Amino acid sequence: MATLAYNQRDLFSVGTSDTKEAIDIPVWAACVIVTVLIGGVVSLFVAAWWHSHYSLEGDTLGYRSGLLFKVRRHCDLDHVQSVDIVRPFLGRLIGVCTLRVVMSGTTMTLSYLTLNQARTLKARILAEDAGDEKLYRVKAKDLVLALLLDIGTNIWSLVLVAFGVLPYALSGELLTLSTLIAFAPKVWRLTGKRLFVYTGWSITRTAEGSYRTDYGMFDTQQYTYRDSRVASIEIHQPVLWRRLDWVEVKVAVAGAAVPGLLVPVCPRAVAEKMVLHLLGPGTVSHLHEPIPAPPEARKVTPFHKALGYRLDNGYFTAWRGFFLRNVTTVAPVGRIQSVSVDQGPWQRRFALASVYAHMAGGNSVPAAHRTNVESADLATRLYEQSMDYAEAKPGHQAGLVNTGR
């Protein structure tokens, strides 16, 4: 600290080298100022750590923190959706991390834990055993190639070249490179930032039947998907990944606003294995042989060949997508909260309608552009099977809604 203050001693003077009116602060004073500032910041962190406490008694997790403003929180372990271990880069240097407990509509953050404390507490919260099994780890070369083949990366890279590099190459004016400011951040988020976040991505199956993801180059994180909270699984396949048969897997969890990422890139066989474990053995057959859209659908969308659905064995699967990306969504019928039939004015002209199975968390699984008879039959079947599940498990509610726009 003294060396830092001495090297920056010019910052503590007023005037120029040509004047004799410079007001110099002694080196010892500069050292004291820097020491007080750094010591104050360190003291705040130490005080925050000293006043942070957690307790786990029975099925209740408690946490209290705060130096001036006291915060006390309690949660029932039955309401916990996932538990994540977050290790920021600076936290890794001093050996501490953060445990993030996600519940429906809220998150409890336990800071200043050692890694062993965080892992032990996480295991107790999720009732995990030690028999974890490492299932898949994304290879670095596969990740780099997948990011380069991502259609979004290619489109924004072309935009960057067309509006930033090409004008400079034609005119030679440095001012034309200023347009890079508008597009470079987007390209960075699609390439470098995702590379740092996704590096080291691995999938582990815990002994109690959930999936845990570990990822991050500098800020390492963990996220656990409990099979009992999974509402649906989405398998995305961009057009440039089809030759390699690679897919991206996302999981919609009850209470979460958007689906979470289970694995950024993996072979389809690995994705099917994850679906098999999280939703049950009857789901793998649902990932093949969809019921295609009727011939009338070609009148309302040029991508009618990508549409389809399948409903049997207690699972509802829907296929959708455009030329650039196909999406397959599979969901247990028992976790459907409501069913709606939507018919727009253009669909009404050709006697078509779309059926939506609304899952917990706000996401929906669509069967788009079916005939009126087929959509009514599908909605009725989804509703009846949901009601059968509701009768088997009190507290689950399902409903049928007709909407027309």
Side-chain angles (χ1 to χ4, degrees), residues 187-205:
V187 176
W188 165 254
R189 288 194 296 269
L190 292 173
T191 55
K193 184 177 181 180
R194 288 204 293 176
L195 179 63
F196 288 150
V197 174
Y198 296 163
T199 295
W201 194 290
S202 63
I203 310 296
T204 302
R205 182 172 62 186

Side-chain angles (χ1 to χ4, degrees), residues 1 40 50 109 139 147 183 318:
M1 288 183 291
W50 185 263
T109 303
K139 299 179 181 178
L147 293 178
F183 302 106

Side-chain angles (χ1 to χ4, degrees), residues 126-356:
L126 298 179
E128 293 178 341
D129 297 326
D132 295 345
E133 176 187 1
K134 185 81 70 175
L135 290 180
Y136 184 72
R137 183 180 180 87
V138 178
K139 299 179 181 178
K141 63 177 183 179
D142 292 348
L143 178 60
V144 172
L145 181 58
L147 293 178
L148 293 176
L149 293 178
D150 183 74
I151 191 65
T153 302
N154 285 271
I155 291 177
W156 281 99
S157 298
L158 292 176
V159 171
L160 182 68
V161 172
F163 291 95
V165 180
L166 187 60
Y168 171 72
L170 296 177
S171 64
E173 297 291 338
L174 290 175
L175 186 62
T176 58
L177 292 177
S178 61
T179 55
L180 294 176
I181 301 175
F183 302 106
K186 181 66 175 179
V187 176
W188 165 254
R189 288 194 296 269
L190 292 173
T191 55
K193 184 177 181 180
R194 288 204 293 176
L195 179 63
F196 288 150
V197 174
Y198 296 163
T199 295
W201 194 290
S202 63
I203 310 296
T204 302
R205 182 172 62 186
T206 64
E208 50 89 27
S210 300
Y211 271 92
R212 187 186 73 239
T213 59
D214 300 85
Y215 54 93
M217 180 181 295
F218 298 111
D219 296 346
T220 60
Q221 301 188 40
Q222 288 185 352
Y223 195 95
T224 302
Y225 295 93
R226 305 180 70 174
D227 55 350
S228 59
R229 305 295 298 178
V230 173
S232 63
I233 297 179
E234 297 180 359
I235 299 178
H236 297 242
Q237 187 173 55
V239 61
L240 299 180
W241 291 9
R242 294 174 190 171
R243 181 177 294 273
L244 300 172
D245 200 24
W246 285 351
V247 295
E248 176 189 61
V249 184
K250 294 184 176 181
V251 177
V253 181
V258 294
L261 185 62
L262 182 62
V263 58
V265 57
C266 68
R268 182 176 291 273
V270 175
E272 292 183 357
K273 184 178 181 181
M274 298 178 188
V275 174
L276 172 68
H277 175 69
L278 284 171
L279 297 182
T283 55
V284 174
S285 61
H286 267 247
L287 301 177
H288 308 279
E289 299 181 359
I291 300 176
E296 293 84 354
R298 71 182 63 182
K299 301 176 182 178
V300 296
T301 175
F303 307 104
H304 61 281
K305 291 185 178 180
L307 302 178
Y309 81 92
R310 185 172 177 179
L311 174 63
D312 58 31
N313 297 327
Y315 297 96
F316 178 49
T317 306
W319 286 259
R320 69 184 189 278
F322 302 101
F323 170 73
L324 299 179
R325 179 182 292 266
N326 289 335
V327 181
T328 303
T329 306
V330 56
V333 174
R335 296 175 188 175
I336 295 176
Q337 291 192 332
S338 65
V339 181
S340 65
V341 180
D342 192 349
Q343 186 178 56
W346 192 247
Q347 290 178 309
R348 191 177 301 115
R349 180 178 178 181
F350 299 102
L352 297 173
S354 298
V355 180
Y356 293 88

